Amino acid sequence: MKTDFKFSNLCGTVYRKGNVVFTPDGNSIISPVGNRVTVFDLVNNKSETLPFENKRDIRRLALSPNGNLLLSVDELGQTLLVNFRKRTVLHYFNLKDKVRDIVFSPDGRYFAAALGRNVQVWHSPGYVREFAPFVLHRTYAAHYDDVTSVSWSPDSRFFVTAGKDMVAKVFSVDPIEGFVPATLTGHRHAVVSAWFARDMRAVYTVSADGAVCVRRFRLQGVDENLTFGEFPIVTSDNDDDEEKPRTIWYTESRHYAQQSARVHSAAFNWATNLMVLGFTNGVFGIWEMPDFNLVHTLSISRKQINTIAINPTGEWLAFGAAKLGQLLVWEWQSETYVLKQQGHFYDMSCVAYSGDGQYVATGGDDAKLKVWNALSGFCFITFSEHTSSVTAVQFTKGSQVVLSASLDGTVRAYDLVRYRNFRVFTSPTPVQFTSLAVDPSGEIVCAGCQDSFEIYVWSMQTGKLLDVLSGHEGPISALAFRPDGLSLASSSWDKSVRFWDVFDRTKVVERMEHSHEVLALAYRPDGKELCASTIDGQIHFWDVAMAAPAGSIEGRRDIAGGRSATDRQTAENSSAGKSFTSLCYSADGTAVLGGGNSKYVCLYDRRSRILLRKFQVSQNQSLDGVQHKLNSRNMTEAGPRDLIDSDGIDSDSEKHVDRSLPGVRSGDKSNRVLKPEVRTRDVKFAPTGRQWAAASTEGLLIYSLDETLVFDPFELDADVTPDSIRDLVRTGDYLRALVNALRLNEQHVIRSVYESVPPKDVALLARAFPAVYVERLLKFIAHAMESSQLLELHLKWVSELLTTHGGFVKTRSVALQPVLRMLQRNVVRLHQDIGSVCDKNYYSLGYLLRQSKHVPEAQEGTDGDVDMHQVFADFSDDGE
């Protein structure tokens, strides 16, 4: 089994805090998710998480106008310079202060960062090697309180800043003769944002109370209407000396957004002259400037809108609500959602893959069950019938039904075809369910509870309670059916694992004793072995047939995490988080994956009992338990400095900060911020074996095998080169060319040879194809079906290979199971996509032909339907 799993995507969380940014083409949106960056492709309906991490939660993002450079700034001002197109980090830099806003100039030569009361303008890094990619151009200090936003002029010569001191200021990047930095006053609350008009003849400012001011520019003694930035030379009446007139700003008009809430975020678009304001009650409004004509208002959230972005053409509006984890993209002209995604409110507690690996279901402490598309990373359905935390989820074998258990005392079954809750399983007395299992046939549902120590058995068809399995003396921690469905295994805090025959209660219940409380268990895919984890950090293996121990793994040191901010002991001496709370076998049964209340996920080899890989799910220092050692300088009289909300920049306590005394800036020391603890509550391998998922504090982390850059030659000879393979293709020797390409194992060479094979020769090549390469070719076809459009070629190869080499595939069914599942998933997906398109075209053509005058009345039946076969035949005859 390959172990080179790498982080590939982050699902379950779409937005945490910070600002969202559109790409220059307007087709994708970039969102900060914790200390990572996720890109949502709004056209192709895909999401991608970039392969880098900041040290802490990201506060601000800035993308250069050409879309090449991305600046990612965390809570403490540490900045990553990223090549956005190649997804690589170019440079690390520290701005040494908390950044409230950062934005590139329209020409891309500078970027401005708001640091406290000051604004720093830096030269944009180039594409050549530099000793210091970040070069400070100038620091502007004029505000008496924190700067809230920075906005550039269209010509990149000026920028306007807004601050909490209720003023906006206009600065120039370079000194300009006759220009003096201007201060725009008149607001009674903190200025949220300010922008230049596209023609640079006005500046728009908006404050927290909803007041919007339109400022105009003129020169003293000059009556003509000039564009800001033009300072003509005038001649004095007394002498012939030339002098520059003084610039004057005046308030042309003042407007008010009639909302009962405060303005929390704002955005302006030069292409459409639209101003969008987001309020603390979840309402946003669109106004046309400079007349402040109301275009549209809508309530999109129950909490405040933290960020707003407008794409370059002004058609799409993006909104982020940190309290609910919402990310919305709204097309205001058609009043439709382009994107509407929301993660779990609180921690994600459980995860499950569908049988074909196409869907991933997650349950959370917010009592919601979400189903995600494993390929696109988007959530397509949310079930909210539960009233308490969801503790376990499970798919049936056909992947058309997903079940969830909850602390509200119910187990619910959901239909993924009609998207409805069609079964509710309850117990005679109220209990709290913590574990769930479904037999392979999908007919029997079992759930274990934590208060009465019993296991309840229901029928899926009737929904009736069939049996209650009692005998455990502690809470039920896990349930699992054997893959053949003959027995049910349960683990409990009473230090035992029991085997139940749910179909024949006359059989004796087997009991396997452990020395400590059992937290999790899992069956090997062949059903011959079972592993269980105990609270002392060990993983015990049991031979199911003999009911005897088969070995153990001491994983206490491997799973041990970091030190919490409130711990009195070091990480080495602490006993917390040193056990596995979730276990899972790989698809081929050769490895065991374990996760717990720490930042690590461990992968062990089943036979040798050694640690293969240890994955750190997060390096985000904004989470508790990431660091092994704490800095004593961060400990204050009021507690750890990281837990004190000193400025309220990211919380609602900002308006409660104590500023009654002059000079007081630290606020109330009793205010606290929540620092979530890093942990992994559930881990699952995909049925294909190519990826695994972890339900962690950050969200649903997906790790996949990176097979594109791996050089793994198989029976490689000296004469097997890309040039020799191309020569074989040109001569028509496709069989040797394809075998040599598989030996060389370069993906682009395999693809070029595979696509050059004529479809009519596939049957002949499949009969002569060596059986030893069948698995490698099927795996390549399964990968190619995800991106290639050669559907006929793929299906012919799969059909001929499975028909010709059916005996070989059957004898190696266990080893080929992940590949066959991946093929099944892609074939089903293509069938659904093409089927929907064909149905739509079929009925559209029928409607059009029926409405046309060329359809004879004789073709209509008695019920008014059209005989489509006759219509298409006539249609073809007319075309000829």
Side-chain angles (χ1 to χ4, degrees):
M1 171 185 173
K2 293 185 178 180
T3 62
D4 54 337
F5 290 94
K6 294 183 178 180
F7 174 79
S8 62
N9 204 358
L10 174 62
C11 302
T13 311
V14 294
Y15 173 75
R16 283 286 176 83
K17 58 182 176 182
N19 67 313
V20 295
V21 181
F22 273 100
T23 54
D25 58 3
N27 295 332
S28 301
I29 188 168
I30 307 172
S31 173
V33 182
N35 67 331
R36 297 181 183 270
V37 177
T38 302
V39 182
F40 296 94
D41 191 339
L42 304 177
V43 176
N44 298 319
N45 195 30
K46 290 184 179 180
S47 66
E48 175 192 4
T49 303
L50 304 187
F52 62 84
E53 291 183 77
N54 283 72
K55 288 187 177 181
R56 292 178 176 268
D57 286 341
I58 297 175
R59 174 170 289 176
R60 303 299 296 182
L61 292 174
L63 186 64
S64 61
N66 56 9
N68 291 333
L69 297 179
L70 175 69
L71 293 176
S72 174
V73 188
D74 66 10
E75 293 176 339
L76 299 183
Q78 296 184 356
T79 307
L80 297 184
L81 174 65
V82 182
N83 187 327
F84 181 69
R85 299 190 185 277
K86 295 193 175 180
R87 278 41 174 175
T88 56
V89 178
L90 303 178
H91 188 66
Y92 296 85
F93 188 73
N94 191 359
L95 292 175
K96 300 180 181 180
D97 201 352
K98 296 181 179 181
V99 178
R100 287 185 176 268
D101 197 11
I102 185 169
V103 61
F104 277 92
S105 61
D107 59 3
R109 294 179 55 195
Y110 304 96
F111 69 87
L115 307 172
R117 303 180 183 183
N118 303 331
V119 175
Q120 293 182 351
V121 176
W122 298 74
H123 291 276
S124 296
Y127 299 99
V128 297
R129 289 184 175 272
E130 298 175 286
F131 178 75
F134 287 84
V135 178
L136 180 63
H137 175 70
R138 190 178 174 188
T139 300
Y140 301 82
H143 284 275
Y144 294 97
D145 207 338
D146 291 338
V147 179
T148 56
S149 71
V150 181
S151 179
W152 288 87
S153 63
D155 60 0
S156 301
R157 297 169 57 199
F158 304 91
F159 62 90
V160 56
T161 63
K164 289 185 177 180
D165 54 358
M166 300 180 290
V167 300
K169 292 181 177 291
V170 182
F171 298 96
S172 63
V173 177
D174 297 311
I176 298 178
E177 186 178 359
F179 171 75
V180 177
T183 301
L184 310 179
T185 62
H187 286 287
R188 298 181 179 180
H189 289 78
V191 181
V192 176
S193 191
W195 312 273
F196 278 98
R198 184 172 183 82
D199 56 3
M200 294 183 61
R201 299 182 184 274
V203 169
Y204 308 130
T205 61
V206 57
S207 61
D209 60 346
V212 177
C213 296
V214 180
R215 322 285 184 140
R216 292 291 182 180
F217 160 79
R218 64 183 177 87
L219 299 177
Q220 186 177 11
V222 179
D223 296 333
E224 57 181 308
N225 192 8
L226 299 174
T227 302
F228 181 69
E230 299 177 358
F231 305 102
I233 300 176
V234 297
T235 304
S236 176
D237 296 337
N238 299 331
D239 49 20
D240 296 337
D241 295 339
E242 296 178 348
E243 62 179 12
K244 291 283 185 179
R246 188 166 62 91
T247 60
I248 296 178
W249 290 88
Y250 65 97
T251 303
E252 181 184 65
S253 59
R254 184 187 300 271
H255 311 278
Y256 291 93
Q258 300 297 327
Q259 294 290 335
S260 59
R262 296 166 60 90
V263 177
H264 192 271
S265 54
F268 180 76
N269 182 257
W270 283 333
T272 57
N273 283 331
L274 293 180
M275 176 187 294
V276 184
L277 304 181
F279 298 89
T280 55
N281 59 355
V283 177
F284 79 91
I286 306 175
W287 286 269
E288 186 179 6
M289 302 301 292
D291 298 329
F292 202 70
N293 297 323
L294 180 61
V295 177
H296 186 65
T297 58
L298 182 69
S299 176
I300 60 173
S301 177
R302 300 191 305 269
K303 301 294 183 179
Q304 68 181 12
I305 300 175
N306 294 80
T307 180
I308 299 176
I310 310 176
N311 72 333
T313 59
E315 299 172 351
W316 292 348
L317 313 177
F319 304 94
K323 291 293 182 181
L324 301 179
Q326 287 181 327
L327 181 63
L328 310 171
V329 179
W330 174 264
E331 185 175 1
W332 64 273
Q333 293 176 336
S334 61
E335 298 185 4
T336 56
Y337 283 108
V338 179
L339 174 70
K340 187 177 182 181
Q341 292 288 301
Q342 179 177 348
H344 289 281
F345 292 171
Y346 310 111
D347 279 356
M348 189 181 296
S349 58
C350 48
V351 60
Y353 272 98
S354 60
D356 55 4
Q358 188 173 356
Y359 304 126
V360 182
T362 60
D365 291 343
D366 57 354
K368 291 186 179 180
L369 173 67
K370 293 179 176 288
V371 184
W372 308 77
N373 189 309
L375 293 179
S376 65
F378 283 102
C379 173
F380 62 90
I381 185 64
T382 300
F383 300 105
S384 56
E385 282 79 6
H386 283 294
T387 58
S388 187
S389 300
V390 178
T391 55
V393 293
Q394 189 78 33
F395 278 94
T396 57
K397 190 174 182 179
S399 301
Q400 294 185 349
V401 176
V402 60
L403 295 101
S404 62
S406 173
L407 295 179
D408 61 1
T410 63
V411 175
R412 297 178 181 269
Y414 300 94
D415 185 359
L416 293 182
V417 178
R418 299 176 179 85
Y419 300 129
R420 63 186 182 92
N421 178 206
F422 69 95
R423 284 284 186 274
V424 179
F425 307 99
T426 59
S427 59
T429 58
V431 294
Q432 291 183 322
F433 294 114
T434 56
S435 54
L436 179 67
V438 184
D439 77 320
S441 65
E443 298 295 331
I444 302 298
V445 180
C446 299
C449 57
Q450 67 178 7
D451 39 14
S452 65
F453 315 151
E454 295 173 332
I455 302 172
Y456 293 85
V457 183
W458 297 277
S459 170
M460 176 71 80
Q461 289 186 351
T462 63
K464 294 182 179 180
L465 181 65
L466 301 179
D467 200 356
V468 179
L469 309 179
S470 59
H472 278 293
E473 300 174 359
I476 310 298
S477 58
L479 294 176
F481 269 100
R482 207 164 76 179
D484 56 9
L486 296 180
S487 65
L488 172 71
S490 63
S491 63
S492 172
W493 290 10
D494 62 1
K495 305 179 183 180
S496 68
V497 173
R498 304 194 183 204
F499 294 95
W500 314 78
D501 192 332
V502 296
F503 302 102
D504 187 3
R505 291 300 309 278
T506 60
K507 292 185 178 180
V508 179
V509 178
E510 297 185 19
R511 176 170 176 167
M512 296 181 179
E513 295 292 342
H514 293 73
S515 58
H516 292 81
E517 290 82 355
V518 184
L519 302 179
L521 61 83
Y523 267 109
R524 204 169 69 186
D526 58 3
K528 297 180 180 180
E529 187 180 79
L530 179 139
C531 66
S533 66
T534 54
I535 201 170
D536 61 343
Q538 292 192 13
I539 300 177
H540 301 272
F541 294 89
W542 296 85
D543 189 334
V544 175
M546 303 298 295
S552 63
I553 296 176
E554 178 63 46
R556 183 180 177 87
R557 294 181 179 269
D558 301 330
I559 194 64
R563 182 179 178 182
S564 176
T566 56
D567 282 349
R568 300 298 183 182
Q569 296 175 325
T570 61
E572 292 78 9
N573 297 328
S574 176
S575 60
K578 292 187 177 181
S579 58
F580 297 94
T581 59
S582 177
L583 293 176
C584 181
Y585 274 94
S586 60
D588 55 4
T590 59
V592 176
L593 190 70
N597 294 327
S598 76
K599 61 179 178 179
Y600 293 117
V601 174
C602 301
L603 183 65
Y604 293 96
D605 182 71
R606 181 187 59 84
R607 292 184 179 179
S608 61
R609 312 286 196 262
I610 63 174
L611 179 67
L612 299 178
R613 289 283 302 276
K614 187 161 73 169
F615 305 92
Q616 183 173 346
V617 296
S618 179
Q619 298 180 357
N620 188 1
Q621 296 181 11
S622 296
L623 301 177
D624 209 8
V626 173
Q627 295 176 295
H628 282 279
K629 295 182 179 180
L630 301 179
N631 192 342
S632 60
R633 291 183 299 179
N634 293 330
M635 183 60 67
T636 65
E637 296 178 354
R641 186 173 299 170
D642 292 339
L643 302 182
I644 299 176
D645 187 13
S646 59
D647 58 356
I649 189 172
D650 293 320
S651 66
D652 289 338
S653 61
E654 180 176 358
K655 52 182 172 292
H656 301 301
V657 173
D658 184 12
R659 297 185 183 276
S660 57
L661 297 177
V664 173
R665 294 182 52 81
S666 60
D668 187 2
K669 292 293 186 182
S670 64
N671 285 343
R672 290 292 186 270
V673 293
L674 176 63
K675 197 173 183 181
E677 181 181 2
V678 59
R679 57 180 175 173
T680 304
R681 300 182 63 176
D682 197 7
V683 292
K684 285 293 187 297
F685 255 103
T688 60
R690 292 183 58 242
Q691 61 179 214
W692 57 269
S696 68
T697 310
E698 293 276 79
L700 183 64
L701 302 173
I702 297 179
Y703 287 77
S704 303
L705 288 173
D706 187 8
E707 300 177 347
T708 57
L709 302 177
V710 178
F711 180 69
D712 185 18
F714 186 78
E715 296 181 2
L716 187 61
D717 298 329
D719 58 344
V720 178
T721 61
D723 293 335
S724 64
I725 294 174
R726 296 188 187 97
D727 294 337
L728 292 174
V729 173
R730 282 193 290 268
T731 57
D733 194 352
Y734 298 108
L735 180 60
R736 288 184 57 195
L738 187 57
V739 171
N740 288 345
L742 291 172
R743 288 177 177 177
L744 190 62
N745 198 31
E746 292 189 7
Q747 297 299 317
H748 67 281
V749 177
I750 300 176
R751 181 179 290 272
S752 63
V753 176
Y754 174 80
E755 294 179 352
S756 63
V757 176
K760 62 184 179 62
D761 296 340
V762 170
L764 182 62
L765 293 176
R767 296 190 188 97
F769 195 78
V772 69
Y773 296 107
V774 169
E775 180 181 358
R776 300 167 65 86
L777 183 58
L778 287 176
K779 185 181 294 186
F780 169 78
I781 296 174
H783 295 331
M785 292 178 73
E786 297 179 355
S787 57
S788 177
Q789 305 298 326
L790 303 175
L791 180 60
E792 181 186 5
L793 183 62
H794 298 327
L795 295 180
K796 278 193 173 183
W797 268 111
V798 172
S799 177
E800 295 297 337
L801 285 174
L802 295 181
T803 303
T804 306
H805 302 278
F808 173 78
V809 173
K810 185 176 181 180
T811 57
R812 302 196 59 189
S813 59
V814 177
L816 292 175
Q817 190 175 15
V819 180
L820 297 177
R821 284 179 176 174
M822 186 163 39
L823 281 171
Q824 180 189 12
R825 180 191 67 182
N826 292 332
V827 169
V828 170
R829 179 179 58 84
L830 290 174
H831 178 267
Q832 293 175 350
D833 295 344
I834 296 177
S836 61
V837 173
C838 291
D839 290 342
K840 183 178 180 181
N841 293 340
Y842 181 85
Y843 293 112
S844 299
L845 287 174
Y847 173 77
L848 294 175
L849 291 174
R850 182 166 179 168
Q851 297 299 322
S852 63
K853 298 180 181 180
H854 300 286
V855 181
E857 295 181 358
Q859 295 176 2
E860 297 189 5
T862 57
D863 54 353
D865 294 334
V866 178
D867 185 358
M868 294 302 301
H869 297 287
Q870 185 64 33
V871 170
F872 286 136
D874 295 343
F875 183 73
S876 301
D877 295 339
D878 294 342
E880 294 176 359

